[in-house]
Amino acid sequence: MEVINPATEERIATLTEDNTQSLLEKWQRLKAAQPNWKARPLEERVAIVKKFAELLEANCAVLSQVLTSEVGKPLTQSANEIRGAIGRINWLTGNAAKYLSDEVMNVAPDMEERIVYEPLGVIANISAWNYPYLVGVNVFVPALLAGNAVLYKPSEYASLTGLEIERLWKQAGLDAGLFLTAIGTGSVGAALLDMPFDGYYFTGSYKTGSFIYNKVAAKMVPCQCELGGKDPLYVADDITDIAAVAAATADGAFYNNGQSCCSVERIYVHANKYDAYVEAFVKELRSWKTGAPTEDGVYFGPLTRKEQIAVLEAQVDDALQKGATLLTGGKKTEGKGYYFQPTVLTNVTADMRVMKEESFGPIIGIMEVKDDAAAIAQMNDTEYGLTASVYSSDQARAATILQQVNAGTGYWNCCDRVSAALPWSGRNHSGFGATLSHAGLRAFTKPKAYHLRKA
């Protein structure tokens, strides 16, 4: 399997893909190692995970170079991702004892009632390329803390990073056979679905998530899917600093080239602020630098996947044919690399693909709405339900709007952010289940109820 640098289109590595036999051998190693890991005290598991976080920090520069070389994000954004992963690990390790320890629920003179959180066993983590450290940490860290063994299948577009993660776990002192990496394309991920794992945790597209869910349903084991989004944002007419709001929301739409599940993908602006907002938004966007992701000051690097260029071109063409106005961008950048110009479309309508289908790239449609009710209707006009944002000077007004939007996360005067303390979950085609928070720690356990009668 060749690994291609998306900025140069040059081959940077050739890896050997796993096959059915090698995957089975890895599963057997994981199965054999997991009981001893389960038996180790939680504080020992926490100590090893903390060591892993220390190694991430110590190796951040090298790890950032590897990540940038295979996914194309600017070096500063790669380093930001690794630092963000460390922050999440710190929260998870700091709260593991609180949420994974036994809970005494009721004590009577002759009876104690207790919950014990047992590990699932051996889990398959089929992960994504856009944030391999962040979405990986969301799964394999709480899984290991809870006493599970993990087979980690990174995306083929982030395989080198997956191997670096495995290396650091070994260096941190994790027992051999508790974290193993499966290398390969979608066929390798599909092969895992036929194996006897005790849980499946997937991050990626709705199409693939639906396939995985249906494939493993008969096994009656946990299957969580963190899927895509078409995340809406509403700018109300009571905002005061239009330039600041435009800058913040542009970053929410275009950070990591728009290749985030929770990127802002649809913007609705109250008619009273629409023209001023659009002008400020485009001005901010044009101030950001496009270039090689290893250069200082670059905000836009290449897309990770060459195939996505055609998706974005089709959305632009569809919008223009239906009457949209192209303010900037709209096509592939000439020359080497998978670069697509940052794109803003106005005069958009709800039937345009750019306002309906996940874009996962540097493109945004901005629509004018007459009032809050119209904004709510448009925000809910989607098959997805990951996040929704409202910018307003009135918290009560924003809360009223967000309560009526069907999404797993609501943002007031912010967007495109994740906190380890809060559950990360989706609605509808954005998936189900939760990572992070207490819910994410317990997602990798099976609770057992104990009724303990005193003799």
Side-chain angles (χ1 to χ4, degrees):
M1 186 184 76
E2 293 187 346
V3 180
I4 304 298
N5 185 325
T8 64
E9 301 186 49
E10 297 174 348
R11 182 179 63 190
I12 55 177
T14 302
L15 303 175
T16 300
E17 289 194 70
D18 275 290
N19 54 39
T20 303
Q21 182 59 35
S22 66
L23 292 174
L24 178 59
E25 291 171 357
K26 289 180 178 180
W27 177 85
Q28 290 171 338
R29 290 177 61 193
L30 292 161
K31 188 73 173 177
Q34 190 269 332
N36 287 336
W37 180 244
K38 171 187 175 181
R40 293 184 68 169
L42 177 58
E43 56 266 28
E44 293 184 14
R45 300 200 294 264
V46 167
I48 289 175
V49 175
K50 285 183 175 180
K51 179 62 177 177
F52 174 75
E54 293 172 4
L55 291 171
L56 284 178
E57 186 170 8
N59 293 273
C60 184
V62 173
L63 299 174
S64 297
Q65 290 278 358
V66 173
L67 180 57
T68 290
S69 72
E70 62 180 346
V71 304
K73 67 174 65 181
L75 273 174
T76 54
Q77 295 184 20
S78 291
N80 288 343
E81 179 182 347
I82 294 168
R83 285 191 289 266
I86 294 169
R88 293 186 190 181
I89 293 172
N90 290 341
W91 191 93
L92 291 165
T93 54
N95 288 274
K98 181 178 181 180
Y99 295 116
L100 295 176
S101 298
D102 297 358
E103 286 187 294
V104 176
M105 305 305 293
N106 188 44
V107 177
D110 64 340
M111 177 71 71
E112 179 182 299
E113 297 169 348
R114 176 181 303 206
I115 301 173
V116 175
Y117 295 95
E118 298 181 345
L120 297 173
V122 181
I123 71 152
N125 177 196
I126 304 173
S127 200
W129 51 262
N130 58 334
Y131 289 100
Y133 285 101
L134 290 175
V135 298
V137 158
N138 289 2
V139 174
F140 57 66
V141 165
L144 289 168
L145 287 170
N148 299 280
V150 179
L151 184 64
Y152 177 63
K153 173 21 183 113
S155 165
E156 60 267 37
Y157 299 100
S159 295
L160 299 179
T161 292
L163 293 172
E164 290 290 337
I165 290 171
E166 180 180 10
R167 178 181 66 83
L168 291 186
W169 277 120
K170 292 177 180 177
Q171 193 175 339
L174 190 67
D175 296 349
L178 285 173
F179 184 95
L180 299 174
T181 303
I183 297 299
T185 58
S187 61
V188 172
L192 299 179
L193 308 182
D194 295 322
M195 299 177 66
F197 286 97
D198 300 303
Y200 292 85
Y201 296 80
F202 170 72
T203 304
S205 70
Y206 164 74
K207 179 180 178 181
T208 303
S210 177
F211 172 79
I212 291 172
Y213 179 68
N214 282 283
K215 181 75 173 178
V216 306
K219 298 185 181 188
M220 303 293 284
V221 297
C223 177
Q224 286 195 184
C225 296
E226 180 192 330
L227 309 179
K230 194 65 183 174
D231 298 22
L233 181 146
Y234 173 48
V235 179
D237 60 339
D238 60 357
I239 61 168
T240 55
D241 191 339
I242 293 178
V245 171
T249 54
D251 186 57
F254 290 104
Y255 190 83
N256 195 31
N257 243 339
Q259 298 172 125
S260 305
C261 297
C262 56
S263 287
V264 176
E265 291 223 355
R266 299 175 287 147
I267 297 178
Y268 304 99
V269 185
H270 194 285
N272 293 344
K273 299 290 185 179
Y274 182 79
D275 291 338
Y277 173 83
V278 169
E279 180 181 359
F281 187 98
V282 173
K283 180 180 179 181
E284 177 69 22
L285 187 61
R286 286 175 171 161
S287 72
W288 295 343
K289 180 181 178 182
T290 298
T294 52
E295 293 179 6
D296 289 341
V298 167
Y299 185 93
F300 289 108
L303 295 170
T304 302
R305 299 174 61 253
K306 181 179 182 180
E307 295 79 7
Q308 198 65 16
I309 292 174
V311 173
L312 299 177
E313 288 175 336
Q315 289 190 356
V316 172
D317 290 345
D318 172 76
L320 295 180
Q321 290 173 12
K322 293 175 180 176
T325 300
L326 179 66
L327 296 187
T328 185
K331 61 183 180 180
K332 181 185 183 302
T333 303
E334 296 297 325
K336 287 284 188 179
Y338 311 146
Y339 290 87
F340 193 86
Q341 297 174 353
T343 301
V344 177
L345 292 156
T346 56
N347 295 320
V348 291
T349 54
D351 64 326
M352 295 177 182
R353 292 172 63 178
V354 73
M355 301 300 283
K356 293 175 68 68
E357 301 172 4
E358 188 173 21
S359 299
F360 229 64
I363 181 174
I364 195 73
I366 307 177
M367 181 187 294
E368 178 180 324
V369 292
K370 64 179 181 178
D371 54 26
D372 294 357
I376 293 167
Q378 293 294 342
M379 294 170 83
N380 279 324
D381 185 20
T382 181
E383 296 178 331
Y384 294 96
L386 191 58
T387 79
S389 311
V390 174
Y391 278 73
S392 168
S393 62
D394 185 340
Q395 183 176 2
R397 178 182 181 182
T400 299
I401 296 168
L402 290 171
Q403 288 165 4
Q404 299 176 70
V405 178
N406 188 27
T409 293
Y411 300 118
W412 175 50
N413 290 342
C414 58
C415 57
D416 187 30
R417 72 182 302 272
V418 181
S419 168
L422 298 175
W424 190 246
S425 62
R427 311 274 178 88
N428 300 330
H429 286 189
S430 289
F432 53 87
T435 55
L436 301 176
S437 78
H438 71 287
L441 279 165
R442 290 176 174 171
F444 302 89
T445 68
K446 44 191 176 186
K448 178 179 285 186
Y450 280 88
H451 303 251
L452 307 173
R453 184 179 296 281
K454 298 177 183 179

